[in-house]
Amino acid sequence: MAGKLKKGEASSSSRSSGGGGSNHRGESVVVDYGENKSSCGYCKSPARASIAHGLWAHSITIDDYQDLLDRGWRRSGCFLYKPDMERTCCPAYTIRLRAGDFVPSKEQARVSRRMQRYLDGTLECKKPGECIENPNASKDTRSHTHPKVSSSAAKESCSNNNEEKGGEEKIMHYLSDQVDNAVRGCSENGEFPDIQFPKAIVKKVLQAKRKLLVEGSEDLLYSSNIAFQIAATIRRSLPGENDVHQGRLSTHITDEKGPSPKLIAEKLECYLNQLAKTSGLLVRACNGHLNFYSATKQASLYESAQTVNISKGSAAGSESKGCGVTHSSQNAPVKRHRLEIHLRRSSFDSEEYALYRRYQIAVHNDTPEHVTESSYKRFLVDTPLNYVPPKGDGTVPPCGFGSFHQQYVVDGKLIAVGVIDILPRCLSSKYLFWDPDFAFLSPGKYSALQEINWVKENQAHCSTLQYYYLGYYIHSCSKMRYKAAYCPSELLCPLRYQWIPFHIAKPLLDKKRYAVLSDVSVSQDRESLPPHVSEEVMEVQHDDIGKEDTNDFPMYDDEGAIDLEYESSDNEPNLVSVDVQDGNIGNILIGLNGSRVRFKDIKFAFGSSERSYLEFQLHRYMRVVGEELAERMVYSLE
């Protein structure tokens, strides 16, 4: 048979899309699920009004999936779906932007600044929605919090001993972190052995045990015995490994008896000598103890605590009389945070699943029994994309092409995960879940900005990688309109598959849910609707959604499971639309009995009625994926 091909040959033939195709990228094998109806996660209609065409992908090349995206397809796990735009309740338009043209709005710039302030230690948040500016790291002596905090409440809290204790605990946590950083620095510089050390604990020194220094100008406030713990840990690591550890053990922390707490404390003191500048506290090593002193004898402990944690953080509290609160930037520590972003190939991770479960229950109000490990895997871990490793030739980014999880880690804690696909022409954002305690940082908006920046940075490694795909834009769903705030964005015309600037498409969508976007005159609408007008409108839309920052929603159900109801029209071939070019279904690649053959070479192997039904399915399949993809992907009958 002339049309018979070897397995794996089809997907690499006649490739011309960005990024190029080759045999090592595998083949695309799909099963046609046909047209299906499901409940809608956007309009929450009780009827099964969401109508889409579905494919199950056993595997798919990154080039083929890129082309499917550009025809309005998306994926949920291994299930691919394309809305029937004319008939579905909520038409979903694919939206993208060219990363190099992105201009952040005022709100997006504020998100970046808020994150930077948090990392710098000038923004604090004890509970979701309760954020304050740290007055000790800013020239402004007033802090900003929830407007419901009254001046009377601030006065009352000034006299509350619990607030004093809370301020002291905050300082002790900060100092403990600083000591841990010093221990880590000593290990990295080779002054301490590379082993696991206990966490430092800084404790308050009771008034009765405080001793004034000789100069009489410094009060002992806090102390830590971490040097004794470090010395004991080093000793325990030596038996049986003497040669190894003694070779790495600095002589600056040992005496004739071995590791010396006194010398260890003095070494840590050297690393902590900057504390006086940032917190007004002096550090002294004394017989193995790390002691923290107040540089100003007159400054009371309560005042120091209040400068870190002002009564509820309200501006009214800072203005109330009789509090005696000192807003000095020299008397309180500033706790900085460390943000790490890790890009990893899609795989199951128990820590990620725990975060996803918490997010779905807290943010989307899912019931615990519905947020299962299996549904999570189907939705966000399973992927049909064939991974393409980096090549170093300017055609593939350093991470390769495929499905990835981008982890956001603050101070060693996982706070957000972005699920993305990296393809020859774009980064496609699929979903984001985050720790509800960090909602004040707008993780959805911040992650989108990071993903856009990732595309910009990686264009140097892969010139075809230029776009950021935000999933579907649904004009009839207010929660999804925020995506248009990333501008200048484009929407995909559902008929001609051309990209139309959003500010041109918007007037059409204001009039009706489904619109052939490419019908509009581009030059005429650019004159009638300047881009800056559109940005102002989008800014309002973006603010309307509050904390709803997910990049996409499950098309079929909240767990990612696929719930399908097949159309009875599958059994009626005469319902094939006559106004759509069907193409030559004879060249569709069929997977049957382990072989790859063209339909024209096996069509007569089927009976008359069976062949008619299969031809109907193939006509419909070619209509939704396009002629080129239909001839390239394997239509599996197995």
Side-chain angles (χ1 to χ4, degrees):
M1 279 188 271
K4 190 169 184 177
L5 299 174
K6 294 180 181 179
K7 189 173 184 179
E9 187 176 18
S11 63
S12 61
S13 62
S14 304
R15 291 296 301 130
S16 59
S17 66
S22 56
N23 287 333
H24 78 278
R25 293 192 176 182
E27 66 175 357
S28 300
V29 181
V30 299
V31 176
D32 190 2
Y33 272 38
E35 186 180 85
N36 63 84
K37 292 183 177 180
S38 67
S39 57
C40 181
Y42 304 110
C43 66
K44 306 298 182 181
S45 171
R48 302 176 72 83
S50 179
I51 306 173
H53 195 102
L55 299 173
W56 183 268
H58 290 294
S59 65
I60 193 164
T61 68
I62 47 98
D63 299 294
D64 289 345
Y65 186 57
Q66 174 72 76
D67 290 347
L68 284 171
L69 284 183
D70 291 336
R71 288 186 64 88
W73 289 80
R74 293 286 288 171
R75 75 175 183 90
S76 175
C78 294
F79 188 74
L80 312 180
Y81 55 91
K82 173 184 168 65
D84 186 324
M85 298 290 280
E86 291 187 79
R87 299 165 56 211
T88 193
C89 57
C90 297
Y93 299 83
T94 302
I95 182 170
R96 75 175 187 181
L97 67 86
R98 187 186 293 270
D101 296 338
F102 172 64
V103 179
S105 66
K106 293 180 180 179
E107 165 63 18
Q108 291 156 359
R110 282 196 294 269
V111 169
S112 296
R113 290 195 299 269
R114 188 186 305 127
M115 175 63 81
Q116 191 57 53
R117 291 200 305 273
Y118 174 73
L119 297 178
D120 290 341
T122 61
L123 179 72
E124 304 169 14
C125 189
K126 296 173 64 179
K127 298 178 182 178
E130 185 182 324
C131 303
I132 63 172
E133 296 287 348
N134 189 332
N136 307 297
S138 171
K139 294 180 181 179
D140 186 359
T141 60
R142 296 184 182 181
S143 55
H144 309 281
T145 57
H146 201 287
K148 292 183 179 180
V149 179
S150 65
S151 61
S152 61
K155 292 179 181 178
E156 179 180 323
S157 60
C158 280
S159 60
N160 193 329
N161 291 333
N162 290 334
E163 288 294 323
E164 179 178 346
K165 292 180 180 178
E168 292 169 352
E169 290 178 359
K170 196 177 187 77
I171 292 176
M172 289 186 287
H173 282 305
Y174 168 76
L175 294 176
S176 298
D177 288 342
Q178 296 306 305
V179 175
D180 286 338
N181 290 338
V183 173
R184 192 178 302 112
C186 289
S187 296
E188 292 172 352
N189 291 334
E191 293 170 293
F192 292 176
D194 187 16
I195 59 177
Q196 184 69 40
F197 291 110
K199 293 287 185 181
I201 299 178
V202 174
K203 296 183 178 181
K204 174 185 174 183
V205 179
L206 298 178
Q207 186 73 36
K209 295 184 178 181
R210 295 182 190 176
K211 296 180 181 179
L212 291 176
L213 293 185
V214 175
E215 294 79 6
S217 62
E218 297 171 318
D219 275 338
L220 174 60
L221 303 178
Y222 309 97
S223 183
S224 173
N225 65 353
I226 184 63
F228 293 87
Q229 299 178 54
I230 291 175
T233 302
I234 295 175
R235 289 193 191 96
R236 285 195 297 269
S237 69
L238 294 178
E241 299 178 28
N242 287 331
D243 296 336
V244 176
H245 286 291
Q246 289 285 7
R248 290 183 293 173
L249 199 55
S250 170
T251 56
H252 297 295
I253 63 170
T254 59
D255 55 21
E256 66 276 7
K257 297 181 180 180
S260 168
K262 182 172 183 275
L263 297 176
I264 291 172
E266 291 173 355
K267 183 62 63 176
L268 292 175
E269 176 188 339
C270 295
Y271 276 80
L272 293 167
N273 57 15
Q274 295 297 318
L275 272 178
K277 296 180 181 180
T278 61
S279 67
L281 294 174
L282 300 179
V283 186
R284 295 286 183 268
C286 182
N287 296 323
H289 292 274
L290 272 178
N291 294 334
F292 300 85
Y293 301 86
S294 170
T296 305
K297 181 179 178 182
Q298 289 77 18
S300 71
L301 178 63
Y302 176 57
E303 290 174 338
S304 300
Q306 285 286 352
T307 57
V308 178
N309 185 21
I310 296 177
S311 169
K312 300 289 187 179
S314 68
S318 65
E319 294 177 335
S320 62
K321 299 179 181 179
C323 288
V325 178
T326 302
H327 301 287
S328 171
S329 61
Q330 299 178 355
N331 289 337
V334 175
K335 181 176 181 179
R336 292 176 173 83
H337 302 276
R338 178 180 177 85
L339 171 65
E340 299 173 273
I341 302 177
H342 307 294
L343 185 63
R344 299 178 177 176
R345 288 181 60 187
S346 182
S347 62
F348 179 77
D349 181 280
S350 58
E351 186 179 13
E352 288 186 0
Y353 168 62
L355 179 61
Y356 168 79
R357 181 178 172 85
R358 186 179 176 209
Y359 167 79
Q360 291 294 132
I361 294 172
V363 178
H364 289 289
N365 298 316
D366 287 355
T367 57
E369 59 270 19
H370 286 154
V371 189
T372 63
E373 185 176 306
S374 60
S375 66
Y376 166 71
K377 289 179 179 178
R378 289 196 304 268
F379 180 32
L380 296 177
V381 177
D382 295 347
T383 175
L385 294 186
N386 297 331
Y387 175 70
V388 176
K391 300 170 64 176
D393 60 357
T395 63
V396 182
C399 63
F401 290 129
S403 299
F404 297 85
H405 286 194
Q406 185 150 281
Q407 298 180 333
Y408 295 81
V409 180
V410 171
D411 299 335
K413 178 182 179 181
L414 182 68
I415 69 163
V417 177
V419 181
I420 61 176
D421 293 327
I422 297 176
L423 304 171
R425 296 192 292 274
C426 75
L427 182 155
S428 175
S429 182
K430 186 178 184 301
Y431 202 71
L432 180 86
F433 52 94
W434 36 267
D435 188 332
D437 288 345
F438 287 82
F440 69 99
L441 291 176
S442 301
K445 299 171 190 176
Y446 183 78
S447 65
L449 298 176
Q450 292 300 308
E451 290 166 1
I452 293 170
N453 190 57
W454 186 94
V455 175
K456 291 181 181 180
E457 293 177 348
N458 280 272
Q459 287 177 1
H461 305 289
C462 178
S463 60
T464 62
L465 188 61
Q466 297 184 16
Y467 292 95
Y468 177 57
Y469 283 51
L470 295 90
Y472 285 137
Y473 172 81
I474 302 177
H475 197 65
S476 58
C477 179
S478 61
K479 287 185 177 182
M480 301 298 284
R481 290 190 178 187
Y482 74 93
K483 296 184 180 184
Y486 298 88
C487 57
S489 56
E490 303 173 306
L491 298 182
L492 183 67
C493 175
L495 181 63
R496 300 185 181 94
Y497 303 112
Q498 299 172 356
W499 292 98
I500 308 299
F502 176 81
H503 71 272
I504 294 175
K506 183 180 180 298
L508 295 178
L509 298 178
D510 286 339
K511 296 176 182 178
K512 51 185 178 180
R513 292 187 175 189
Y514 172 77
V516 180
L517 304 180
S518 57
D519 282 348
V520 72
S521 171
V522 174
S523 59
Q524 178 180 353
D525 281 273
R526 275 182 179 161
E527 295 176 358
S528 62
L529 186 64
H532 73 273
V533 174
S534 177
E535 183 176 346
E536 291 173 0
V537 173
M538 290 187 289
E539 190 69 45
V540 173
Q541 294 171 347
H542 196 39
D543 291 338
D544 285 343
I545 65 163
K547 296 177 182 176
E548 187 54 76
D549 289 314
T550 50
N551 295 102
D552 208 350
F553 292 83
M555 186 72 177
Y556 297 102
D557 67 22
D558 288 339
E559 297 83 44
I562 302 158
D563 185 13
L564 307 178
E565 180 181 291
Y566 293 99
E567 289 282 85
S568 59
S569 59
D570 282 3
N571 297 317
E572 302 173 11
N574 62 330
L575 292 181
V576 174
S577 177
V578 295
D579 61 344
V580 178
Q581 294 182 357
D582 293 328
N584 182 10
I585 64 171
N587 287 327
I588 291 179
L589 193 62
I590 304 295
L592 185 63
N593 298 328
S595 299
R596 306 292 184 253
V597 295
R598 301 294 176 183
F599 178 64
K600 62 185 178 183
D601 296 321
I602 62 168
K603 58 187 294 186
F604 294 110
F606 299 95
S608 176
S609 60
E610 188 178 14
R611 182 170 64 250
S612 296
Y613 178 63
L614 182 56
E615 287 176 344
F616 161 68
Q617 288 182 308
L618 293 177
H619 276 294
R620 183 186 57 192
Y621 167 71
M622 178 171 281
R623 187 170 72 246
V624 293
V625 303
E627 186 172 357
E628 183 178 350
L629 279 169
E631 295 178 2
R632 209 162 64 218
M633 298 192 301
V634 178
Y635 187 95
S636 178
L637 295 179
E638 298 176 307

